[in-house]
Amino acid sequence: MMSGCSWLDATTREQIVAVVDLKAGIAVHAVAGNRQAYQPIAIGGKTAGDPFALVAHYRSLGIRSLYIADLDSILLGQPQIALLERLISPHSDLDEILVDIGLPERDTVASLLKSVRRRSNVFVIVASECATNATSLRRFEGALDYSQLVLGMDYRQGVFVGGDDSDDDWDSGGDWDSERDWLEFADQLGIDRVVALDTATVGTSRGPSIAEICSRIRRHFPSVKLYSGGGIRDASDVKLLQQAGCDRCLVATALLKR
């Protein structure tokens, strides 16, 4: 195990979902949501940006869950289907693999959805930042069971980003009205996994800032499996998010330190 990951004890390891951000075929280091400035990740003597080397590194640390974000799909609507399938297919033994593809047109990801459907440990995230409103959660209806979909609740500096719904202040409840619309609709559809992530803290090693939001989600929707992260430095930050109601924590930067 790399010395910089000495904080990763057996108990903490079980709570970690290791992050792979893909841009133009390479694995990049996400920092503060400035996606145009993301740089390739180098692991040991491997080629910088090799996503397979990154996954192998995470597995060498004993991590059993992955979060794979396809930035080409999220930002451009151009999913990296072949790469995603190559990353997913060898890891049927992992506990779970969450794949964030934003909200591309359904026909552009038909083969990926078909592949996911055959793998009970793989789940597709529908990202609120890419949608017009909560009904966008129906985009893949019929192609994938709702039990394999995950609601991605996106935030920027604490402000919910959810298409038109994020501007909804109909009863002066602000962001919570928008959040609740998405969460209630997901619940109605049978989606029982939620990833809440604030891009402003990702990769900053400043500690998580989303604990209050996680607590709010957990309080109102106690049965969801809740994931979050951003800025996590060590086991104490993981514990902080667990105390806020998170079941699993998304981590990248803290797992790359030597």
Side-chain angles (χ1 to χ4, degrees), residues 1-102:
M1 183 179 297
M2 299 173 69
S3 60
C5 294
S6 59
W7 61 273
L8 196 63
D9 57 37
T11 300
T12 305
R13 188 182 295 115
E14 294 178 359
Q15 311 304 320
I16 296 298
V17 180
V19 177
V20 180
D21 286 299
L22 301 173
K23 183 178 180 182
I26 62 175
V28 294
H29 185 203
V31 180
N34 184 13
R35 289 164 171 163
Q36 301 306 317
Y38 289 179
Q39 297 298 310
I41 291 175
I43 298 295
K46 304 296 183 180
T47 303
D50 182 348
F52 300 96
L54 181 58
V55 171
H57 166 66
Y58 289 148
R59 297 215 58 172
S60 75
L61 296 176
I63 305 297
R64 295 196 51 79
S65 298
L66 296 175
Y67 170 99
I68 303 174
D70 182 349
L71 299 178
D72 288 13
S73 186
I74 294 169
L75 299 175
L76 306 173
Q78 300 173 2
Q80 303 171 80
I81 302 296
L83 177 56
L84 290 172
E85 291 185 341
R86 286 176 61 207
L87 283 169
I88 292 169
S89 60
H91 303 294
S92 60
D93 61 319
L94 288 179
D95 293 339
E96 56 189 352
I97 303 174
L98 310 182
V99 182
D100 190 346
I101 55 175

Side-chain angles (χ1 to χ4, degrees), residues 95-254:
D95 293 339
E96 56 189 352
I97 303 174
L98 310 182
V99 182
D100 190 346
I101 55 175
L103 196 66
E105 292 301 321
R106 177 169 162 167
D107 59 353
T108 67
V109 290
S111 63
L112 177 64
L113 297 178
K114 184 176 181 180
S115 179
V116 169
R117 194 165 189 166
R118 295 195 299 266
R119 295 176 167 86
S120 61
N121 69 329
V122 182
F123 305 85
V124 171
I125 296 171
V126 177
S128 68
E129 67 172 332
C130 300
T132 55
N133 53 56
T135 60
S136 298
L137 289 167
R138 285 181 167 164
R139 172 67 59 87
F140 305 132
E141 191 170 61
L144 200 63
D145 192 87
Y146 283 116
S147 65
Q148 280 188 279
L149 285 182
V150 181
L151 167 58
M153 297 285 285
D154 296 303
Y155 298 81
R156 292 183 188 137
Q157 296 184 333
V159 178
F160 177 61
V161 182
D164 295 339
D165 286 344
S166 61
D167 295 323
D168 181 9
D169 194 22
W170 60 273
D171 67 354
S172 301
D175 277 351
W176 174 238
D177 292 322
S178 303
E179 292 173 274
R180 187 172 54 196
D181 287 344
W182 282 81
L183 290 159
E184 287 182 348
F185 193 66
D187 184 57
Q188 291 170 18
L189 294 176
I191 297 173
D192 59 3
R193 284 174 166 81
V194 175
V195 173
L197 196 61
D198 192 323
T199 57
T201 60
V202 168
T204 63
S205 297
R206 294 199 302 253
S209 65
I210 201 167
E212 183 178 344
I213 290 171
C214 292
S215 294
R216 186 166 65 215
I217 293 173
R218 174 59 68 203
R219 186 166 59 251
H220 290 275
F221 295 88
S223 64
V224 299
K225 186 169 185 179
L226 182 59
Y227 308 73
S228 192
I232 289 177
R233 298 161 292 191
D234 51 34
S236 63
D237 287 335
V238 172
K239 185 176 181 179
L240 172 67
L241 288 181
Q242 283 184 299
Q243 292 172 338
C246 291
D247 296 289
R248 297 288 185 270
C249 295
L250 276 57
V251 184
T253 304

